[in-house]
Amino acid sequence: MSSQIDHLLDEGRRFAPSPAFAAQANGTSDLYKRAAADREEFWADQARDLLHWHTPFTQTLDWSNPPFAKWFDDGQLSVAYNCLDRHVEAGNGDRVAILFEGESGDERRITYAELTAEVKKAANMLESLGIGHGDRVAIYLPMIPEAAIAMLACARVGAIHSVVFGGFSADSLRSRVDDAAARLVITADGGYRKGRVSPLKPAVDMALADRGTGPQETVEHVVVVKRGGNDIDWTEGRDLWWHDMLEQADAEHEAQPFPAENPLYILYTSGTTGKPKGVVHTSGGYLTQAVFTNKYVLDIHPDSDVFWCTADIGWVTGHTYVVYGPLALGATQVMYEGTPDTPHPGRWWELIQKYGVSILYTAPTAIRSFMKQGRQIPQQFDLSSIRLLGSVGEPINPEAWIWYRDIIGGGEAPIVDTWWQTETGAAMIAALPGVTDAKPGAAQVPLPGISVDVVDETGHQVPNGKGGLLVLTEPWPAMLRGVWGDPERFKETYWEKFADQGYYFAGDGARKDEDSEIWLLGRVDDVMNVSGHRLSTTEIESALVAHESTAEAAVVGAKDDTTGEAVVAFVIIKESYLSAHSPEGLAGTLRQWVSQQIGAIARPRDIYIVSELPKTRSGKIMRRLLRDVADGREVGDTTTLADTAVMSIISAQVK
Ligand code: WTA
């Protein structure tokens, strides 16, 4: 790892923004000056400037009970009003909010007036089902406008949404529905993926089956959007069609304000244990930083840009950079349902040409897979509308960065590499594209008003050039307010490690270069990053050992040219199964099993059947050594192993 980083830090290229870009950019160096002069006042100014407050706040930050922050606490606002009605009232009702393209080529252009009208009806539908302030609603939908409409309708009535990525399994959905005690699930019959209908409703039926024994039998209704047209089972009394409900719903709905700290959503994310955490975000601070970063980092000019963030609504990037940020800013954006290679590998570039996309925000894993296919594919399309590119989800290697800029950005578009997390709610470390000279591979500088550092295990700042742990040293507006139902886990996971200093521990390794700019080095905990998606090693291990054939399992993230990391599992199979099945058959079964248990993104790339796992004397699996094997490196220091011969046995078995 560290030799690879040294190589990265040798990357000497710098790309200054062109004078033309800098002249039109929303963000100027003045933002840094103002934030440095008074950090809290800076955020208060942003909150007042970027949002509409029904009741203005008088307090900016209450940090009297860390780590529980309150921002703009005595203010009241409606997140939905900020994303919808105010644009219509300002005379921009005819501006397109969403340029939707289905995978099979169907199109919908939804203006702000139309989106507002739909959300009003959906809010009335929720209220007619008894959903109101504080209720939890699980949303399990494909990438279609109804996903945004459902989220905004929840926000409008003060309900808390929990969006579950449509690629997750019935079991994953069930545990999320249960943890949040959701009263309603909004889903679709199916959506289009890879040229066919991928059903969703059956997973909801499975997730809600055999209930009545647990304490959490909370779901009263399932509202189903008709999208795939696939046959589905129907539970009378529980299941309702979205279109029927909206047809019956009143058209008028006045947006009520809620306190700034009203919870807006829960989003589950993998941590170092088997159980995903429900990260809680609230309203005023979250929306402030969401809009701030859309305006100044992604440099969206709502009256002229066409923005496209390719993230699915099931991830935090889809929350902040598809729904809340762009809509609160009044931007026009593309929303695409399907996969990048359907029906042909140039689909994204065709969409950019068709809609005149000017700002593209995507993940390094996508860029690397396009690189592999070759530049001749994007070069068949007119990408001259692109003026800015963004990257998120994992470190972007300089080769991919340069390719992105040259081939997609016409050799000119600035690239903003944005570091952040589900927990931070919005971008934290990123260049301002009209100000900062870009460095390929580095996330670079904290945003104005954001304080970060790189420290050693004891919380002391490490000198430039030396690796350490990334910490956030001051509270920020979009920070998570907790872990749903588990304040202790919130404290333990993020705040205990550097309790003396009061720092937030991000779980990422980082290094500052000679200009004090930040390079991210990947996770330091047992969290993997596969295609920019967080997966927990422990969660996959628990799934593996839940299979009857498996005695023990260890999972690591191995290097992968396209996905960044790939899931590699080492499993010990019970004797009775080993003798009766071929290793290939067992590996295939387990791969399939993990997909069913968690979702296809968690399916291991490789499964090695071994007879031992490397453990310390206290029984902790040394994943570091397994990573060496998975990456084909020489195995590192084995002296702390209980049995030092184990690694040679494993190395021989995986060949
Ligand atoms: C990683 C996604 C390097 C990091 C928004 C972080 C990055 C985790 C970057 C959060 C980046 C995200 N450079 N690493 N620009 N962006 N990461 O919660 O390890 O899905 O902790 O949020 O992704 O993943 P999450």
Side-chain angles (χ1 to χ4, degrees):
M1 179 85 163
S2 109
S3 61
Q4 184 197 348
I5 298 308
D6 287 339
H7 160 72
L8 277 183
L9 289 172
D10 287 342
E11 168 62 56
R13 285 170 285 191
R14 302 285 180 272
F15 297 89
S18 71
F21 188 98
Q24 62 77 56
N26 289 328
T28 63
S29 53
D30 184 52
L31 289 172
Y32 292 108
K33 285 193 206 110
R34 283 165 52 202
D38 187 339
R39 217 178 64 83
E40 285 182 30
E41 200 41 42
F42 172 77
W43 283 119
D45 285 346
Q46 298 308 323
R48 288 186 206 107
D49 177 39
L50 300 170
L51 301 183
H52 172 85
W53 293 85
H54 278 75
T55 309
F57 56 89
T58 62
Q59 296 161 9
T60 300
L61 169 66
D62 175 356
W63 192 233
S64 57
N65 180 29
F68 299 94
K70 291 180 180 164
W71 282 86
F72 317 124
D73 191 28
D74 60 348
Q76 298 222 356
L77 79 168
S78 160
V79 169
Y81 178 87
N82 273 283
C83 293
L84 301 163
D85 313 53
R86 68 162 167 162
H87 304 311
V88 180
E89 288 169 17
N92 294 322
D94 291 340
R95 183 184 293 161
V96 174
I98 297 176
L99 293 159
F100 173 71
E101 172 105 0
E103 194 186 74
S104 40
D106 52 320
E107 295 169 24
R108 280 164 75 187
R109 280 169 193 256
I110 306 174
T111 63
Y112 273 94
E114 290 163 345
L115 191 64
T116 306
E118 287 294 289
V119 172
K120 285 181 176 177
K121 282 193 279 176
N124 283 323
M125 164 187 80
L126 292 179
E127 285 177 345
S128 75
L129 295 173
I131 301 295
H133 184 225
D135 287 325
R136 274 82 62 200
V137 175
I139 297 178
Y140 187 65
L141 281 171
M143 208 40 201
I144 53 176
E146 282 74 11
I149 294 168
M151 290 161 77
L152 290 163
C154 289
R156 199 168 182 98
V157 304
I160 305 169
H161 59 71
S162 162
V163 180
V164 180
F165 173 55
F168 277 133
S169 66
D171 275 353
S172 299
L173 174 63
R174 180 185 185 129
S175 63
R176 286 159 174 77
V177 164
D178 278 346
D179 188 73
R183 293 185 56 198
L184 176 71
V185 179
I186 303 180
T187 188
D189 48 0
Y192 291 88
R193 282 199 80 71
K194 298 188 201 292
R196 38 188 192 92
V197 172
S198 159
L200 282 169
K201 172 75 164 44
V204 176
D205 292 336
M206 269 166 74
L208 302 184
D210 306 325
R211 297 170 75 85
T213 46
Q216 303 284 26
E217 199 196 9
T218 52
V219 175
E220 294 157 19
H221 291 288
V222 176
V223 173
V224 186
V225 178
K226 200 178 187 85
R227 171 67 189 157
N230 46 312
D231 283 339
I232 52 172
D233 290 339
W234 201 254
T235 304
E236 282 306 329
R238 185 196 71 182
D239 297 351
L240 304 161
W241 282 111
W242 167 279
H243 57 265
D244 286 345
M245 296 300 290
L246 254 62
E247 208 176 272
Q248 292 160 22
D250 262 2
E252 259 328 301
H253 185 280
E254 198 181 332
Q256 300 298 319
F258 294 98
E261 284 296 339
N262 201 49
L264 181 62
Y265 66 84
I266 306 171
L267 187 57
Y268 287 83
T269 187
S270 295
T272 52
T273 71
K275 189 172 174 266
K277 300 181 283 271
V279 166
V280 177
H281 282 291
T282 60
S283 305
Y286 171 76
L287 199 61
T288 299
Q289 202 175 326
V291 188
F292 176 82
T293 50
N294 273 273
K295 177 165 181 179
Y296 295 111
V297 178
L298 294 165
D299 196 47
I300 299 177
H301 294 61
D303 49 3
S304 55
D305 277 313
V306 176
F307 176 60
W308 185 17
C309 166
T310 64
D312 189 277
I313 220 104
W315 310 108
V316 73
T317 310
H319 285 56
T320 308
Y321 297 100
V322 178
V323 180
Y324 292 111
L327 296 177
L329 199 55
T332 298
Q333 66 175 319
V334 170
M335 182 189 249
Y336 172 56
E337 177 187 32
T339 45
D341 53 356
T342 307
H344 61 81
R347 188 70 192 270
W348 276 20
W349 321 122
E350 183 183 59
L351 290 175
I352 289 176
Q353 171 180 294
K354 173 172 173 183
Y355 293 112
V357 171
S358 52
I359 304 169
L360 178 70
Y361 188 34
T362 193
T365 183
I367 300 163
R368 285 192 299 266
S369 70
F370 292 129
M371 254 174 100
K372 246 196 216 161
Q373 292 165 1
R375 61 183 60 190
Q376 70 283 358
I377 296 173
Q379 281 174 344
Q380 289 161 21
F381 299 91
D382 177 5
L383 305 181
S384 59
S385 54
I386 291 283
R387 63 176 198 86
L388 175 65
L389 298 168
S391 175
V392 58
E394 54 175 314
I396 176 166
N397 48 310
E399 291 71 19
W401 197 102
I402 296 289
W403 188 92
Y404 195 27
R405 181 181 155 99
D406 282 350
I407 309 303
I408 310 305
E412 264 182 26
I415 297 180
V416 281
D417 178 4
T418 59
W419 177 90
W420 59 295
Q421 308 179 300
T422 305
E423 292 85 346
T424 70
M428 300 290 284
I429 304 176
L432 293 185
V435 178
T436 322
D437 288 0
K439 290 180 187 172
Q444 301 198 281
V445 281
L447 290 179
I450 298 296
S451 309
V452 312
D453 208 348
V454 179
V455 300
D456 62 19
E457 285 286 336
T458 62
H460 293 99
Q461 190 179 56
V462 299
N464 288 352
K466 202 164 176 290
L469 304 172
L470 185 74
V471 290
L472 305 173
T473 58
E474 298 285 350
W476 63 101
M479 68 195 287
L480 77 165
R481 299 302 198 263
V483 171
W484 181 257
D486 201 345
E488 278 314 306
R489 192 165 175 205
F490 171 55
K491 288 190 209 159
E492 257 168 52
T493 312
Y494 305 105
W495 303 95
E496 212 148 75
K497 191 169 177 72
F498 299 114
D500 291 348
Q501 296 81 1
Y503 293 165
Y504 168 93
F505 172 50
D508 279 31
R511 193 191 269 198
K512 288 193 222 163
D513 64 16
E514 69 280 7
D515 305 320
S516 298
E517 293 194 0
I518 294 167
W519 299 69
L520 276 308
L521 311 182
R523 302 286 304 187
V524 295
D525 52 17
D526 292 333
V527 174
M528 290 172 287
N529 190 328
V530 178
S531 298
H533 298 142
R534 271 162 74 171
L535 293 170
S536 141
T537 53
T538 339
E539 196 181 352
I540 301 175
E541 286 165 5
S542 320
L544 284 166
V545 294
H547 191 267
E548 54 193 6
S549 68
T550 310
E552 276 194 83
V555 167
V556 298
K559 271 206 218 86
D560 187 281
D561 282 349
T562 306
T563 59
E565 280 187 292
V567 179
V568 174
F570 296 82
V571 292
I572 303 181
I573 299 289
K574 292 177 188 158
E575 268 312 318
S576 52
Y577 279 84
L578 258 191
S579 45
H581 300 88
S582 72
E584 297 75 34
L586 283 165
T589 307
L590 289 175
R591 238 182 245 127
Q592 182 62 21
W593 170 257
V594 173
S595 282
Q596 275 166 14
Q597 296 287 302
I598 303 175
I601 44 164
R603 185 202 308 264
R605 183 190 70 186
D606 304 314
I607 293 194
Y608 296 120
I609 295 176
V610 294
S611 55
E612 307 267 4
L613 290 174
K615 289 184 188 156
T616 60
R617 280 171 204 91
S618 61
K620 194 170 165 3
I621 294 174
M622 292 193 68
R623 295 199 183 80
R624 169 173 67 78
L625 301 175
L626 293 174
R627 253 194 308 268
D628 290 343
V629 174
D631 286 340
R633 270 191 307 269
E634 197 173 319
V635 173
D637 184 7
T638 58
T639 45
T640 52
L641 283 180
D643 174 0
T644 50
V646 163
M647 285 317 294
S648 14
I649 299 173
I650 293 176
S651 300
Q653 284 171 334
V654 304
K655 287 231 165 77

